[in-house]
């Protein structure tokens, strides 16, 4: 029997109401990896997503115990007990479940003094090298043997602090170094480190467990190694890309929605773009209201950059909104090689997009129409949902497993706002 895994979206229903923005996947994943080094911790606002379950499966394989509970406010809490860690490898099937499982490497090495993992390989966004992760871990005293498929890591003496200047502010590499250096002897300094809010959240978690991490105003990360981490109860930051996605859904479908439990300061590169497109925003401390009742206007160009620049993960949802805007918008992708696969799917719905290499030009059209389309990756899939909400007729979006990696109850939440989405799994 053929497996169905799709959304059927009936477009042109105005959105109206409130949305609670769930915890950030990209903050939760490195925190779960780091929990390997702590006795026992409770992660509040942990999103209930397939990528998080993949991380949980890795923790269980390593010997941790995990438990999901619901707190008084109905929010999910994931507890992890790491006192029984017995394995130091990640089998190939678990590595494949989630490409970003590489962020477990630093934690396993710090905990076991050795690690065996399979090589993560490429992904939907193009090649996904880990050279920066590996060269940085080597500086901390890790010996790494690569045989093309497998990585064998060991620490012949002790992990020790080092001065590391990253050639590019890689988010995952910064996280891996921070986690490993927490238990290294002496001081580690990471220059040209990534500055994403998820990095600050990881530092907040590790510090709450007894680590000594300082993030300087220029983004340099200084880690003073400690002997042991305790446990803690920690609340994950809200997901900024999920917030952007709901804003773009509203821009495409029209209407007025209020995002609650969000941090608008994490969206400082995206909100001005939406305002320029003609969306009216009311920005509170932890709330964000968007009102889109007039035709959208294009913006001249949007260029993705490391934080605090325009996030690469927000490109696809904003591109979906730009399909409806009057005029042309140029998108320049500077982080990943292959980030425009979803553009061809948008074209099936009547969008006018020309993409080549790292540049895509979107010429706005009056209306998109329903079509049969396929998710190509997580954020590309979310963009198809946003576009379908503003399209005339029915859109069938296949392969939504990509979307389920990063969005909790996307269909139910949008339906509660007045959308019409059937989810078939
Ligand atoms: C994280 C996010 C992802 C986001 C990205 C950029 C998670 C789980 N994922 O991914 O959603 O899109 O940050 O904000 O947090 N690179 C190398 N060598 C390396 C490491 C990275 O060349 O060793 C390159 C990558 O191929 C890519 C660029 O650097 O072109 C950015 O990658 P990086 O910042 O590491 O992204 P991730 O941590 O994988």
């Amino acid at each position: 029997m053929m497996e169905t895994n799709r959304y059927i979206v009936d477009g042109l229903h105005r959105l109206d109401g409130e949305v609670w923005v769930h915890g950030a996947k990209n903050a939760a994943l490195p925190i779960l990896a780091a929990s390997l080094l702590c006795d026992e911790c409770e992660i509040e606002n942990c999103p209930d997503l397939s990528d998080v379950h993949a991380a949980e499966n890795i923790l269980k394989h390593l010997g941790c115990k995990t438990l999901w509970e619901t707190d008084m406010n109905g929010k999910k809490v994931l507890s992890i007990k790491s006192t029984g860690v017995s394995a130091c490898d990640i089998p190939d099937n678990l590595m494949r479940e989630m490409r970003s499982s590489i962020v477990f490497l630093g934690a396993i090495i710090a905990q076991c003094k050795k690690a065996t993992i399979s090589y993560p390989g490429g992904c939907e966004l193009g090649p996904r090298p880990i050279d920066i992760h590996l060269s940085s871990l080597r500086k901390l005293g890790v010996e790494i043997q690569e045989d093309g498929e497998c990585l064998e890591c060991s620490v012949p003496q002790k992990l020790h602090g080092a001065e590391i200047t990253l050639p590019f502010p890689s988010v995952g590499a910064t996280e891996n170094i921070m986690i490993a250096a927490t238990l290294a002897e002496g001081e580690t300094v990471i220059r040209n480190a990534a500055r994403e809010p998820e990095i600050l959240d990881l530092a907040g978690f590790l510090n709450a467990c007894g680590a000594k991490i300082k993030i300087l105003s220029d983004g340099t990360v200084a880690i003073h190694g400690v002997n042991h981490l305790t446990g803690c109860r920690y609340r994950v930051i809200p997901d900024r890309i999920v917030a952007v996605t709901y804003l773009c859904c509203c821009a495409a479908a029209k209407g007025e929605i209020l995002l609650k439990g969000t941090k608008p300061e994490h969206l400082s590169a995206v909100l001005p773009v939406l305002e320029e497109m003609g969306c009216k925003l009311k920005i509170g401390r932890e709330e964000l209201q968007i009102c889109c009742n007039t035709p959208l206007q294009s913006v001249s160009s949007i260029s993705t950059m490391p934080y605090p620049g325009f996030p690469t993960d927000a490109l696809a949802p904003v591109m979906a909104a730009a399909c409806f805007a009057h005029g042309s918008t140029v998108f320049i992708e500077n982080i990943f090689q292959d980030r425009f696969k979803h553009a061809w799917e948008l074209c099936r719905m009547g969008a006018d997009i020309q993409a080549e290499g790292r540049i895509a030009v979107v010429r706005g059209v009056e209306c998109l129409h329903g079509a049969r389309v396929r998710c190509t990756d997580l954020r590309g899939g979310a963009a198809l949902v946003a576009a379908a909400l503003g399209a005339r007729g029915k859109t069938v979006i296949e392969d939504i497993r990509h979307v389920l990696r990063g969005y909790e109850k996307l269909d139910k939440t949008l339906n509660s706002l007045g959308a019409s989405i059937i989810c078939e799994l």
Side-chain angles (χ1 to χ4, degrees):
M1 207 173 71
M2 254 220 355
E3 200 188 341
T4 46
N5 115 63
R6 62 187 183 190
Y7 291 136
I8 302 168
V9 184
D10 185 40
L12 294 183
H13 294 270
R14 256 179 72 86
L15 301 187
D16 191 11
E18 290 181 7
V19 177
W20 175 269
V21 178
H22 62 69
K25 167 178 87 71
N26 289 353
L29 294 178
I31 287 176
L32 291 181
S35 75
L36 196 63
L37 307 180
C38 316
D39 301 334
E40 195 168 349
C41 30
E42 293 164 327
I43 312 301
E44 288 181 26
N45 206 25
C46 190
D48 188 359
L49 301 165
S50 57
D51 262 12
V52 170
H53 296 154
E56 197 187 345
N57 286 339
I58 295 176
L59 287 171
K60 284 185 187 161
H61 169 83
L62 296 170
C64 303
K65 295 219 164 22
T66 61
L67 176 70
W68 283 94
E69 284 168 306
T70 306
D71 69 11
M72 275 159 31
N73 305 315
K75 302 284 175 287
K76 295 275 172 59
V77 181
L78 179 58
S79 304
I80 303 120
K81 219 184 206 168
S82 303
T83 39
V85 172
S86 51
C88 55
D89 68 308
I90 305 180
D92 193 48
N93 62 321
L94 294 180
M95 274 311 279
R96 277 175 201 277
E97 248 185 83
M98 184 181 59
R99 297 280 175 203
S100 44
S101 41
I102 186 69
V103 79
F104 274 85
L105 184 57
I108 300 177
I109 289 171
Q111 175 73 304
C112 310
K113 308 291 173 267
K114 58 180 183 174
T116 308
I117 64 167
S118 64
Y119 204 78
C123 77
E124 305 86 33
L125 308 179
R128 208 113 183 205
I130 53 166
D131 53 316
I132 306 175
H133 297 247
L134 301 187
S135 60
S136 307
L137 290 171
R138 284 188 170 112
K139 287 201 173 125
L140 296 177
V142 184
E143 256 181 26
I144 304 171
Q145 311 276 355
E146 296 178 69
D147 77 358
E149 277 179 18
C150 213
L151 291 167
E152 291 280 352
C153 308
S154 58
V155 184
Q157 283 159 5
K158 277 186 171 175
L159 282 180
H160 54 75
E163 293 253 342
I164 300 170
T165 301
L166 300 183
F168 179 87
S170 155
V171 174
T174 304
E175 292 165 347
N176 247 330
I177 306 166
M178 281 167 70
I179 295 171
T182 291
L183 293 183
E185 209 169 74
E187 190 93 4
T188 298
V189 177
I190 317 172
R191 297 187 208 286
N192 197 28
R195 301 177 186 205
E196 271 66 4
E198 292 77 16
I199 298 285
L200 291 178
D201 213 30
L202 174 62
F205 168 77
L206 286 166
N207 284 341
C209 293
K212 291 193 175 153
I213 303 178
K214 272 194 199 147
I215 303 203
L216 312 181
S217 55
D218 67 352
T220 300
V221 181
I223 305 144
H224 185 84
V226 297
N227 289 328
H228 177 73
L229 294 182
T230 59
C232 74
R233 190 170 172 101
Y234 193 78
R235 188 174 179 75
V236 171
I237 52 169
D239 197 307
R240 59 199 169 103
I241 307 301
V242 167
V244 170
T245 303
Y246 283 117
L247 297 176
C248 293
C249 286
C250 187
K254 302 276 172 272
E256 190 172 323
I257 63 174
L258 177 67
L259 301 187
K260 298 191 98 165
T262 184
K263 281 200 185 293
E265 76 257 31
H266 292 165
L267 300 174
S268 56
V270 181
L271 299 184
V273 170
L274 290 170
E275 280 181 319
E276 207 180 322
M277 291 176 86
C279 304
K280 302 271 176 293
L281 300 176
K282 265 196 209 149
I283 302 170
R285 212 167 63 84
E286 296 200 337
E287 285 188 353
L288 186 49
Q289 190 188 43
I290 182 166
C291 177
C292 310
N293 289 321
T294 51
L296 296 175
Q297 300 298 320
S298 61
V299 292
S300 58
S301 92
I302 294 172
S303 194
T304 64
M305 296 296 252
Y307 194 84
F310 190 95
T312 172
D313 286 355
L315 180 144
V318 172
M319 184 184 279
C323 290
F324 299 93
H326 183 76
S328 297
T329 305
V330 178
F331 288 85
I332 305 162
E333 166 60 26
N334 294 305
I335 311 294
F336 289 103
Q337 269 182 32
D338 206 359
R339 192 116 226 194
F340 293 137
K341 284 189 186 143
H342 64 281
W344 308 114
E345 302 297 315
L346 289 171
C347 289
R348 286 173 188 260
M349 300 170 71
D352 180 352
I353 306 174
Q354 282 190 330
E356 204 175 313
R358 291 177 181 263
I359 298 181
V361 181
V362 180
R363 286 184 194 83
V365 293
E366 202 109 306
C367 195
L368 299 186
H369 54 75
R372 186 172 282 268
V373 292
R374 182 169 291 276
C375 297
T376 51
D377 59 275
L378 166 60
R379 305 305 170 187
L384 296 179
V385 173
L389 293 173
R392 197 181 301 282
K394 268 197 172 40
T395 302
V396 178
I397 307 177
E398 312 264 12
D399 244 349
I400 57 170
R401 260 182 305 228
H402 290 288
V403 177
L404 305 179
R405 284 180 40 219
Y407 295 86
E408 202 181 298
K409 299 192 185 117
L410 183 65
D411 53 318
K412 286 199 180 73
T413 308
L414 288 167
N415 283 340
S416 77
L417 299 174
S420 166
I421 307 184
I422 298 167
C423 175
E424 291 183 349
L425 282 178

